Amino acid sequence: MQPEGRPQRVDAFQALLRPPPPEPGRSAPPVQSRDEASDSASPERSRPQSAKPAQTAAIQATQGQPRLAALSAWTKAWLYAQAAIFTLAAISGWIDHQTLASLSNADRNGDELWQAVIDGTAGWQSLVELGGSLIFLITAILILRWIYRANACARRLGAGGMAFTPGWSIGWYFIPIANLWKPYQAMAEIWRASSKPADWRTARVPPLLGWWWAVWLISGLVQYGELNLLTQAQGIGDLLAANVLRLLSDLMTVALSVMLARIIDRIQALQDAHAQQRGEPQISISESQPSQARMSAADGSSKPVAARRPRLVGMSGPYAGLSVPLSDRPLVIGRDPAVSQVVLADVDTISKRHALIGYDAARACFFLQDLGSSNGTFVLDSTGAAYPGQIQAQGRRLPAAQRCELRPGVRFYLASPAIVFQLMLE
C-alpha cells in the first residue's frame, strides 16, 4: 500500500493489467483466493458453471481426437507388426517341433540329445524371439498410452460418472488378482462411453471384446504351463509338450493382436463420429498454414473464422497455430485432460491445472488467472518485449490465484518462453 498523499508509481505492466473503471452500478470483479481458484479448476464445480458443454466438447475434441487418431494409427501398425513376427515365431516353432520329434526316435545318450536340441533350435529362431520381444515391449507401451487417452477422450465427449479414471484404466493391469477382470471392465467402459457418451451405461459391449479378454486369459495360462514344463523338463517328451504350448501361445498372440487392432479401430470410429455430431464447429489447424485457423462444421464444410471474435492463438512452440474461441465462461488450461478443457498434454512443464482464461465482453477485455502452477504464467506486451521488474529472462510472472485483465494483442507464455500465446480479436 502507498502512504496517503503519495502518488502511486504506474509502470507499463501495471497499466496493462489495470482494470478499466467500473461502469455505473457495476462493481469490479472480485479477486479470487487460492482456494477459489482451486474450486474454479475443479471439473466437477467449474464445468457446469464455467463452460458451455458444446463449446467445451468442441475444444476438447480439437485437443484430443487428432492426437488419439494418430496414436491409434501407430498402435494398430505395431499390433499388426506383432502379429507378423509371432506368425514367423509359430512357423519356427513348428520346425522345432519336427526337429524334436525326429530326435525322440534317435538312439542317443542324454548329453548328445541335449546338444542336438540346442543345435536344432538355434539360429534364426533366436533372432525371431529377440525381434518378437522388442516389438512386444513397444506395442505394450503404445497400448497403455492408447487406453489412457481413449478414456480421457470419452470423458471429453460428455461421458460423465465413469468408474475408471484414465490412470486406473491402465493401472489395474499391474495389480495381481484384480488384473484378471478389472482391465476388461475398464476397456468395456471405454467402449460404452465411446458408443453413447450421454447415456453410456445403457450401451452394449460387443462379443469381440469378450473374446479378446478370454483369449488373453487363456494365453496367460498357456504361457505359465510352458514355463513350468521347461523348468522341470526331464526328457524329450517334456520338451515336445512345452513346444506345443509355445506354438499355441504364439498363435494366440497373433489372434490377440488382430482383435485388439480391430477394437481400437472401432472405438476410434465411434469417438470420431460423436465428435462431429456435437452440433458445434470444431477447430481445424492446417500444418501447412498454421496461422490460418478455420472452423470446420459437422457436415465437413469450412469457412473462415468470424471476425472480431475473442480467441486464444498459439504463436510459438508445439501449439503454434492453435486457435481456441473464448467467452465469459472461463476455460482451464492444463496438462491433465480430466481437469482441463484446453488440454496441452505434450509439455511436462505445464501443470495439470495451469491457468484460467476467458473474455469479458461487457468490459471488453480478456482475463487470465494462474492456478498456482509450478512453473508460472508470464505476461509479455503486445510486441513480445519484456516488462520492467521481470523475474525471469522474459516476461512478468502473474501472482497465483489473482484474476488479471488483459487487453487484446497481449502475449503470454506458460512455463517456458518457447510456448507463447496471444489474446486476439479476429
Side-chain angles (χ1 to χ4, degrees):
M1 298 292 294
Q2 297 279 352
E4 290 186 3
R6 181 178 177 181
Q8 285 189 327
R9 177 182 177 272
V10 179
D11 59 17
F13 182 74
Q14 290 173 328
L16 178 69
L17 301 184
R18 182 178 58 201
E23 300 173 1
R26 179 187 177 105
S27 58
V31 175
Q32 290 184 323
S33 66
R34 186 179 295 269
D35 291 339
E36 289 171 336
S38 177
D39 289 345
S40 299
S42 174
E44 289 79 5
R45 300 183 185 181
S46 67
R47 286 179 184 171
Q49 302 175 0
S50 301
K52 297 178 181 179
Q55 180 193 42
T56 300
I59 296 172
Q60 291 168 338
T62 302
Q63 295 299 319
Q65 292 306 121
R67 193 166 63 249
L68 181 63
L71 182 58
S72 296
W74 277 103
T75 306
K76 288 188 296 181
W78 280 95
L79 280 168
Y80 287 127
Q82 179 174 268
I85 196 69
F86 276 89
T87 299
L88 292 176
I91 295 173
S92 177
W94 175 251
I95 295 173
D96 289 344
H97 182 81
Q98 298 296 103
T99 302
L100 291 170
S102 64
L103 290 173
S104 65
N105 299 321
D107 184 16
R108 304 188 182 190
N109 59 38
D111 292 340
E112 291 177 341
L113 179 60
W114 283 109
Q115 186 60 46
V117 170
I118 293 173
D119 293 341
T121 58
W124 78 293
Q125 167 71 4
S126 300
L127 184 61
V128 170
E129 289 182 354
L130 179 62
S133 299
L134 181 60
I135 291 177
F136 181 84
L137 177 61
I138 295 174
T139 305
I141 294 173
L142 288 172
I143 290 170
L144 293 177
R145 286 176 60 86
W146 181 88
I147 291 173
Y148 182 96
R149 289 188 177 176
N151 183 295
C153 285
R155 292 168 178 269
R156 292 199 295 270
L157 289 174
M162 293 177 66
F164 295 89
T165 64
W168 276 110
S169 63
I170 62 177
W172 284 114
Y173 282 90
F174 304 97
I175 307 298
I177 307 301
N179 59 10
L180 296 177
W181 72 91
K182 285 289 188 179
Y184 168 77
Q185 292 178 342
M187 184 68 85
E189 187 178 71
I190 292 173
W191 185 290
R192 291 191 183 99
S194 303
S195 177
K196 298 172 65 176
D199 192 20
W200 62 269
R201 291 178 179 85
T202 64
R204 300 181 62 182
V205 176
L208 175 63
L209 210 59
W211 280 110
W212 165 70
W213 192 249
V215 175
W216 168 266
L217 294 177
I218 296 172
S219 175
L221 292 175
V222 170
Q223 291 175 11
Y224 177 78
E226 177 202 356
L227 182 61
N228 237 6
L229 283 173
L230 286 175
T231 55
Q232 302 177 14
Q234 299 295 324
I236 198 69
D238 292 337
L239 289 177
L240 277 169
N243 177 266
V244 171
L245 292 180
R246 177 60 177 272
L247 180 60
L248 183 59
S249 174
D250 290 340
L251 293 175
M252 285 185 172
T253 301
V254 173
L256 283 169
S257 300
V258 175
M259 285 191 289
L260 186 54
R262 179 59 178 160
I263 290 170
I264 290 173
D265 187 61
R266 292 181 64 178
I267 290 178
Q268 178 67 52
L270 288 170
Q271 293 195 359
D272 285 345
H274 283 290
Q276 294 185 4
Q277 292 173 4
R278 300 292 296 179
E280 287 286 325
Q282 298 177 2
I283 303 167
S284 174
I285 302 173
S286 170
E287 294 182 0
S288 59
Q289 296 176 317
S291 62
Q292 299 179 2
R294 303 179 70 85
M295 300 289 283
S296 298
D299 60 1
S301 61
S302 63
K303 57 183 179 181
V305 178
R308 309 306 296 170
R309 293 185 60 183
R311 307 187 74 84
L312 172 68
V313 179
M315 304 303 294
S316 66
Y319 303 104
L322 171 69
S323 182
V324 178
L326 299 176
S327 71
D328 59 348
R329 302 176 183 271
L331 303 173
V332 176
I333 306 174
R335 183 165 45 87
D336 189 347
V339 295
S340 303
Q341 287 86 48
V342 182
V343 183
L344 309 179
D346 299 323
V347 181
D348 293 337
T349 53
I350 293 177
S351 298
K352 292 182 178 180
R353 296 178 301 168
H354 198 106
L356 203 67
I357 186 74
Y359 182 76
D360 189 338
R363 301 173 68 85
C365 66
F366 294 87
F367 55 90
L368 179 65
Q369 176 180 321
D370 185 88
L371 298 177
S373 63
S374 299
N375 298 307
T377 302
F378 299 81
V379 173
L380 307 167
D381 70 5
S382 58
T383 62
Y387 279 95
Q390 61 194 22
I391 62 172
Q392 282 198 358
Q394 293 186 49
R396 181 79 173 266
R397 184 167 186 165
L398 296 183
Q402 180 175 328
R403 171 169 158 158
C404 299
E405 296 188 346
L406 306 173
R407 55 184 170 80
V410 169
R411 299 188 181 198
F412 69 94
Y413 66 85
L414 306 176
S416 168
I419 308 173
V420 176
F421 296 92
Q422 187 168 16
L423 302 172
M424 301 179 66
L425 291 175
E426 296 182 340

